[in-house]
């Protein structure tokens, strides 16, 4: 089975409980649509060396906890509140389900997607487009919390995505992204204290261009901490996920 869920921010309680109850097997896959929280505690925090060591320990404990209990393979899309695995020491690359993934030898069932790669799940192709803008950026910087300057897709990543879709003749069964095309933003979930005029919408507007040009059936995203499903007249299915675990269409 291939399952899909939204942001975790380090909380895998339900996945661990379900695993202990026999729901997931080593053959199953759980896709996390960004902000898994696994690569949040990294050596990026500008603080005392002691705090850096504590962050490394938190990261290692979380990975060991997941590895020891959750039997399924976790396939993580890049979010905005986490470091990119290619920027972290110790990650290697390998081919998996038709695309390149990042992994660490100690944690073989925790995989991270590479933006712009296409993966095959049950004979269907999905392209991954991670990243988003952090509306809490100022707050994070003021409080000394981790913020990642490469949280959004770079121009190079955008060119790679577009080149791959060109190669696929702009036809893909599905898209797995962290944020969503601009037209599908869930405005009802916007934080009232955030001035939307000051929010960088460049990623969402670029995804809007992609969405209008792409022939696809399913688009899944997280980021907004809510659940929602939209079925277009032509049958296309757009789904926003948070803690709910669904079966990938």
């Amino acid at each position: 089975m291939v399952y899909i869920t939204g942001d975790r921010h380090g909380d895998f309680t339900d996945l661990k409980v379900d695993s202990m109850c026999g729901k997931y097997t080593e053959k199953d896959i759980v896709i996390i649509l960004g902000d898994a929280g696994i690569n949040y505690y990294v050596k990026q925090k500008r603080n005392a060396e002691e705090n850096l060591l504590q962050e490394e320990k938190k990261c290692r404990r979380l990975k060991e906890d997941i590895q020891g209990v959750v039997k399924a393979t976790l396939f993580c899309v890049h979010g905005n509140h986490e470091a990119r695995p290619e920027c972290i020491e110790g990650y290697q690359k390998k081919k998996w389900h038709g695309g390149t993934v990042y992994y660490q030898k100690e944690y073989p069932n925790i995989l991270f997607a590479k933006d712009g790669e296409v993966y095959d799940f049950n004979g269907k192709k999905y392209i991954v487009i991670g990243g988003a803008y952090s509306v809490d950026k100022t707050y994070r910087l003021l409080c000394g919390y981790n913020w990642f300057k490469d949280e959004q897709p770079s121009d190079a990543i955008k060119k790679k995505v577009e080149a791959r879709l060109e190669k696929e003749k702009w036809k893909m069964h599905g898209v797995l992204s962290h944020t969503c095309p601009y037209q599908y933003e869930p405005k009802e979930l916007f934080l009232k204290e955030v001035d939307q005029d000051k929010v960088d919408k460049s990623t969402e507007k670029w995804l809007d261009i992609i969405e209008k040009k792409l022939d696809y059936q399913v688009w899944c995203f997280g980021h907004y901490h809510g659940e929602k499903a939209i079925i277009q007249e032509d049958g296309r299915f757009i789904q926003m996920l948070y803690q709910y675990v669904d079966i990938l269409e």
Side-chain angles (χ1 to χ4, degrees):
M1 296 293 293
V2 181
Y3 300 91
I4 189 163
T5 186
D7 307 30
R8 290 279 145 180
H9 296 284
D11 185 0
F12 295 87
T13 305
D14 59 328
L15 298 183
K16 290 189 289 184
V17 170
D18 287 344
S19 290
M20 288 187 285
C21 293
K23 179 175 181 179
Y24 303 114
T25 72
E26 294 177 355
K27 294 182 179 180
D28 294 331
I29 298 168
V30 178
I31 298 170
I32 300 175
L33 294 167
D35 284 352
I38 297 171
N39 284 332
Y40 175 75
Y41 300 107
V42 295
K43 274 188 174 181
Q44 181 159 333
K45 190 167 183 177
R46 298 182 297 274
N47 214 320
E49 195 65 32
E50 182 180 345
N51 286 344
L52 292 177
L53 181 60
Q54 289 300 319
E55 294 226 325
E56 285 188 318
K57 287 181 178 178
K58 289 177 184 177
C59 183
R60 187 164 61 250
R61 281 199 300 268
L62 178 57
K63 289 177 180 178
E64 289 173 351
D65 191 27
I66 296 169
Q67 183 75 26
V69 181
V70 180
K71 293 177 180 165
T73 294
L74 300 186
F75 176 66
C76 309
V77 175
H78 175 68
N80 55 297
H81 287 159
E82 57 194 348
R84 292 182 179 273
E86 60 265 39
C87 299
I88 303 173
E89 185 179 347
Y91 274 94
Q92 302 179 39
K93 292 191 292 186
K94 68 177 181 180
K95 282 292 183 179
W96 182 82
H97 282 253
T100 298
V101 294
Y102 299 95
Y103 75 104
Q104 292 174 309
K105 291 189 296 183
E106 306 95 313
Y107 314 107
N109 74 329
I110 304 176
L111 308 178
F112 293 86
K114 183 177 181 180
D115 286 342
E117 291 285 291
V118 173
Y119 302 88
D120 186 301
F121 297 117
N122 295 329
K124 298 174 181 178
K125 288 184 175 182
Y126 297 81
I127 191 166
V128 167
I129 311 173
Y133 175 78
S134 295
V135 297
D136 58 351
K137 173 185 173 181
T138 301
Y139 172 78
R140 285 180 168 272
L141 292 174
L142 286 173
C143 295
Y145 298 143
N146 282 348
W147 173 74
F148 306 93
K149 63 181 180 180
D150 57 355
E151 59 183 10
Q152 298 195 78
S154 64
D155 289 341
I157 289 174
K158 290 178 179 178
K159 288 178 181 178
K160 179 181 178 179
V161 169
E162 292 168 3
R164 184 57 194 265
L165 290 175
E166 188 70 39
K167 182 180 178 181
E168 299 288 339
K169 302 187 186 303
W170 288 90
K171 186 171 184 179
M172 189 70 49
H173 179 76
V175 179
L176 306 173
S177 62
H178 183 51
T179 188
C180 65
Y182 185 72
Q183 65 174 311
Y184 295 122
E185 281 190 319
K187 294 180 175 58
E188 69 276 11
L189 296 178
F190 286 177
L191 299 174
K192 293 180 180 178
E193 62 270 23
V194 175
D195 183 355
Q196 291 299 315
D197 290 335
K198 296 181 180 179
V199 175
D200 183 347
K201 306 275 188 177
S202 57
T203 297
E204 288 76 16
K205 290 179 179 178
W206 170 66
L207 290 176
D208 228 21
I209 296 171
I210 297 294
E211 195 272 343
K212 287 179 171 62
K213 192 172 181 180
L214 184 64
D215 180 0
Y216 72 96
Q217 297 301 311
V218 179
W219 191 307
C220 300
F221 64 95
H223 187 46
Y224 295 96
H225 293 196
E227 274 98 24
K228 187 177 184 179
I230 301 171
I231 302 176
Q232 300 284 36
E233 291 182 359
D234 58 7
R236 286 179 299 160
F237 184 62
I238 295 92
Q239 185 175 23
M240 174 177 65
L241 287 153
Y242 182 32
Q243 295 289 317
Y244 181 70
V245 180
D246 204 354
I247 296 173
L248 183 66
E249 293 291 333

